[in-house]
Amino acid sequence: MRVHSASAPPSEDLVRWQRAARALGLVSTVVLLVGLLGDLADPVVLCLTLVPVALWLLELFAPPRSPRVEGALLLVVGAGGGLLNARAFDSSGFLLAFFAAAALGIRLPPREALPWLVGVLVVLDLGSAAVSPHVLTSITSNSLGVGFTFAVGAATRTARLERARSEQLLAELEVARVHEAEGAALAERARLARELHDVLAHALSGQVMSLEAARVLAESTQADPRVVEGVTRASRLARSGLAEARGAIAALRGDALPGPDRLPELVEQAASAYGLRASLAVRGEPRAVTAQASLAIYRTAQESLTNSAKHGGVGVCATLLLEWRPDTVVLTATDVRRPGTAPVHTEHDGGHGLTGLRERAELAGGSLEAGPTNDGFVVRLELPT
């Protein structure tokens, strides 16, 4: 048996309760049939037994969706018990009326169940009055027994509904807590964005203006061209850093994050700012990935190009290869240095860039590998799509 409720998937607890109710219903049916064995030779008793029992089994395993149809079904089951009580007074046929009363209490709201319950009780009492030598006692015991059984079923139904409502309220409370935590996180990110803007972005803006003034001064005083070139490159780096700071602030505020679509722009900026010979190759058909994976691809390419310029030496050649595979996307960043330049950088040179990239990859469900090659360094990022 089931309790009428909204069309939602049943919980594990409800499924266990339904199994227990069906098991109890089957045991009760066996007890009923055993009590009727001596009277089944009577064709009328056999017919009055088979029809209500078949409907009772239908109620246990495939109850009607319509409350009215189900009420009528249970009325027939209970009336069958009343008629059996009149035909075979000393048998267990009256139990069908109690089965119907319990099911009416469990399955239907009290106001909908009472008319059907009264019908069951009337048939049972009329049958008892027709054959019982103690009419008043039989009617009283029948009424009290059926009423008590219905009350237990109704109390069970109320308890089940209250428990379901409590579970729903707890689930809604958990959702509210999650939203509250997300709101607090967004507020904290907005605060951090304001702090970064006030400190980092302003400082970089001042640095850009100072470098630009130094470049103009160097040109006006006809300083060494190498000085002018160095100041110009430093100015480009400062401008790039300012742009990245603004991008980080936008990310904290929840704005659009950079991803694979901005890799060509990143390569151009790196070549201009660092003097790299940088290139990008894309294989496969690009497709949408999660925001976390998209940002991991961009930050890995950015860190790799920065490391190539920082550690690869003069004239280093950096290559980015982005491969869109059926289930993964792979970014391979390789740099090749000229013979005789500074040693190739390693992951253990005191920085935390590659460690942070590896953490990003793991959070996005992927992996990152990095290490030196014969003539440079390689970083390989693999993420699920």
Side-chain angles (χ1 to χ4, degrees), residues 21-53:
R22 288 167 180 164
L24 180 60
L26 285 176
V27 172
S28 302
T29 305
V30 171
V31 171
L32 169 73
L33 293 175
V34 170
L36 283 168
L37 284 177
D39 301 291
L40 291 179
D42 184 348
V44 176
V45 173
L46 181 61
C47 180
L48 291 175
T49 300
L50 291 179
V51 173
V53 168

Coordinates of all heavy atoms in Angstrom, one line a residue, residues 21-53:
A21 N 4.6 -3.1 4.6 CA 3.1 -3.1 4.5 C 2.6 -4.3 3.6 O 1.6 -5.0 4.0 CB 2.6 -1.8 4.1
R22 N 3.2 -4.5 2.5 CA 2.8 -5.6 1.6 C 3.1 -6.9 2.2 O 2.2 -7.8 2.1 CB 3.6 -5.4 0.3 CG 3.1 -4.3 -0.6 CD 4.0 -4.0 -1.7 NE 3.6 -2.9 -2.5 CZ 4.3 -2.2 -3.4 NH1 5.6 -2.6 -3.5 NH2 3.8 -1.2 -4.1
A23 N 4.2 -7.0 2.9 CA 4.5 -8.3 3.6 C 3.4 -8.6 4.6 O 2.9 -9.8 4.8 CB 5.9 -8.3 4.2
L24 N 3.1 -7.6 5.4 CA 2.0 -7.8 6.5 C 0.7 -8.1 5.8 O 0.0 -9.0 6.3 CB 1.9 -6.5 7.3 CG 0.9 -6.6 8.4 CD1 1.2 -7.7 9.4 CD2 0.8 -5.2 9.2
G25 N 0.4 -7.5 4.7 CA -0.9 -7.8 4.0 C -0.9 -9.2 3.5 O -2.0 -9.9 3.6
L26 N 0.2 -9.7 3.0 CA 0.3 -11.1 2.5 C 0.1 -12.1 3.6 O -0.6 -13.1 3.5 CB 1.6 -11.3 1.8 CG 1.7 -10.7 0.4 CD1 3.1 -10.9 -0.2 CD2 0.6 -11.3 -0.6
V27 N 0.8 -11.8 4.8 CA 0.7 -12.7 5.9 C -0.8 -12.7 6.4 O -1.4 -13.8 6.7 CB 1.6 -12.3 7.0 CG1 1.3 -13.0 8.3 CG2 3.0 -12.4 6.6
S28 N -1.4 -11.6 6.5 CA -2.8 -11.5 6.9 C -3.7 -12.3 5.9 O -4.7 -12.9 6.3 CB -3.3 -10.1 7.0 OG -2.5 -9.3 7.9
T29 N -3.4 -12.2 4.6 CA -4.2 -12.9 3.6 C -4.1 -14.4 3.8 O -5.1 -15.2 3.8 CB -3.8 -12.6 2.2 OG1 -3.9 -11.2 2.1 CG2 -4.6 -13.2 1.2
V30 N -2.9 -14.9 4.1 CA -2.7 -16.3 4.4 C -3.5 -16.8 5.6 O -4.2 -17.8 5.6 CB -1.2 -16.6 4.6 CG1 -1.0 -18.1 5.1 CG2 -0.5 -16.4 3.3
V31 N -3.5 -16.0 6.7 CA -4.2 -16.3 7.9 C -5.7 -16.3 7.6 O -6.4 -17.2 8.1 CB -3.9 -15.2 9.0 CG1 -4.9 -15.4 10.2 CG2 -2.5 -15.3 9.4
L32 N -6.2 -15.4 6.8 CA -7.6 -15.4 6.4 C -8.0 -16.7 5.7 O -9.0 -17.3 6.0 CB -7.9 -14.2 5.5 CG -9.2 -14.1 4.8 CD1 -10.3 -13.8 5.8 CD2 -9.2 -13.1 3.7
L33 N -7.1 -17.1 4.7 CA -7.5 -18.2 3.9 C -7.4 -19.5 4.7 O -8.2 -20.4 4.5 CB -6.5 -18.3 2.7 CG -6.6 -17.2 1.6 CD1 -5.6 -17.3 0.6 CD2 -8.0 -17.3 1.0
V34 N -6.4 -19.6 5.6 CA -6.4 -20.8 6.5 C -7.6 -20.9 7.3 O -8.2 -22.0 7.5 CB -5.1 -20.7 7.4 CG1 -5.1 -21.8 8.5 CG2 -3.9 -20.8 6.5
G35 N -8.1 -19.8 7.8 CA -9.3 -19.8 8.6 C -10.6 -20.1 7.8 O -11.6 -20.5 8.4
L36 N -10.5 -20.0 6.5 CA -11.7 -20.3 5.7 C -11.6 -21.7 5.0 O -12.5 -22.1 4.2 CB -11.8 -19.3 4.6 CG -12.4 -17.9 5.0 CD1 -12.1 -16.9 3.9 CD2 -13.9 -18.0 5.3
L37 N -10.5 -22.5 5.2 CA -10.3 -23.7 4.5 C -11.5 -24.7 4.7 O -12.0 -25.3 3.8 CB -9.1 -24.4 5.0 CG -7.8 -23.8 4.5 CD1 -6.6 -24.5 5.1 CD2 -7.7 -23.9 3.0
G38 N -12.1 -24.7 5.9 CA -13.2 -25.6 6.2 C -14.5 -25.2 5.5 O -15.4 -26.1 5.4
D39 N -14.6 -24.0 5.0 CA -15.9 -23.5 4.4 C -15.8 -23.3 2.9 O -16.8 -23.0 2.3 CB -16.3 -22.2 5.1 CG -16.5 -22.3 6.6 OD1 -17.4 -23.0 7.0 OD2 -15.6 -21.8 7.3
L40 N -14.6 -23.5 2.3 CA -14.5 -23.3 0.9 C -15.2 -24.3 0.0 O -15.3 -24.1 -1.2 CB -13.0 -23.2 0.5 CG -12.2 -22.1 1.1 CD1 -10.7 -22.2 0.7 CD2 -12.8 -20.7 0.6
A41 N -15.6 -25.4 0.6 CA -16.4 -26.4 -0.2 C -17.8 -25.8 -0.6 O -18.3 -26.2 -1.6 CB -16.6 -27.6 0.6
D42 N -18.2 -24.8 0.1 CA -19.5 -24.1 -0.3 C -19.2 -23.1 -1.4 O -18.3 -22.2 -1.3 CB -20.0 -23.3 1.0 CG -21.3 -22.6 0.7 OD1 -21.7 -22.5 -0.5 OD2 -21.9 -22.1 1.7
P43 N -19.8 -23.3 -2.6 CA -19.5 -22.4 -3.7 C -19.7 -20.9 -3.4 O -19.0 -20.1 -3.9 CB -20.5 -22.9 -4.8 CG -20.8 -24.3 -4.4 CD -20.8 -24.3 -2.9
V44 N -20.7 -20.6 -2.6 CA -21.0 -19.2 -2.3 C -19.8 -18.6 -1.5 O -19.3 -17.5 -1.8 CB -22.3 -19.1 -1.6 CG1 -22.5 -17.6 -1.1 CG2 -23.5 -19.6 -2.4
V45 N -19.4 -19.4 -0.5 CA -18.2 -19.0 0.3 C -17.0 -18.8 -0.6 O -16.2 -17.9 -0.5 CB -18.0 -20.0 1.4 CG1 -16.7 -19.6 2.2 CG2 -19.1 -20.0 2.4
L46 N -16.8 -19.8 -1.5 CA -15.6 -19.7 -2.4 C -15.6 -18.5 -3.2 O -14.6 -17.8 -3.4 CB -15.6 -21.0 -3.3 CG -14.4 -21.1 -4.3 CD1 -13.1 -21.1 -3.5 CD2 -14.6 -22.3 -5.2
C47 N -16.8 -18.2 -3.8 CA -16.9 -17.0 -4.6 C -16.7 -15.7 -3.8 O -16.0 -14.8 -4.2 CB -18.3 -16.9 -5.3 SG -18.6 -15.5 -6.4
L48 N -17.4 -15.7 -2.6 CA -17.2 -14.5 -1.7 C -15.8 -14.4 -1.2 O -15.4 -13.3 -0.7 CB -18.2 -14.6 -0.5 CG -19.7 -14.5 -0.9 CD1 -20.5 -14.7 0.4 CD2 -19.9 -13.1 -1.4
T49 N -15.0 -15.4 -1.3 CA -13.6 -15.3 -0.9 C -12.7 -14.9 -2.0 O -11.8 -14.0 -1.8 CB -13.1 -16.7 -0.3 OG1 -14.0 -17.1 0.8 CG2 -11.7 -16.6 0.1
L50 N -12.9 -15.5 -3.2 CA -11.9 -15.2 -4.3 C -12.0 -13.8 -4.8 O -10.9 -13.2 -5.0 CB -12.2 -16.2 -5.4 CG -11.9 -17.7 -5.2 CD1 -12.3 -18.5 -6.4 CD2 -10.5 -17.9 -4.9
V51 N -13.2 -13.2 -4.9 CA -13.3 -11.9 -5.4 C -12.7 -10.9 -4.5 O -11.8 -10.0 -4.9 CB -14.8 -11.5 -5.8 CG1 -14.9 -10.1 -6.2 CG2 -15.3 -12.4 -6.9
P52 N -13.1 -10.8 -3.2 CA -12.4 -9.8 -2.3 C -10.9 -10.0 -2.1 O -10.2 -9.0 -2.0 CB -13.2 -10.0 -1.0 CG -14.5 -10.7 -1.3 CD -14.1 -11.5 -2.5
V53 N -10.5 -11.3 -2.1 CA -9.0 -11.5 -1.9 C -8.3 -11.0 -3.1 O -7.2 -10.4 -3.0 CB -8.8 -13.0 -1.6 CG1 -7.3 -13.3 -1.8 CG2 -9.3 -13.4 -0.2

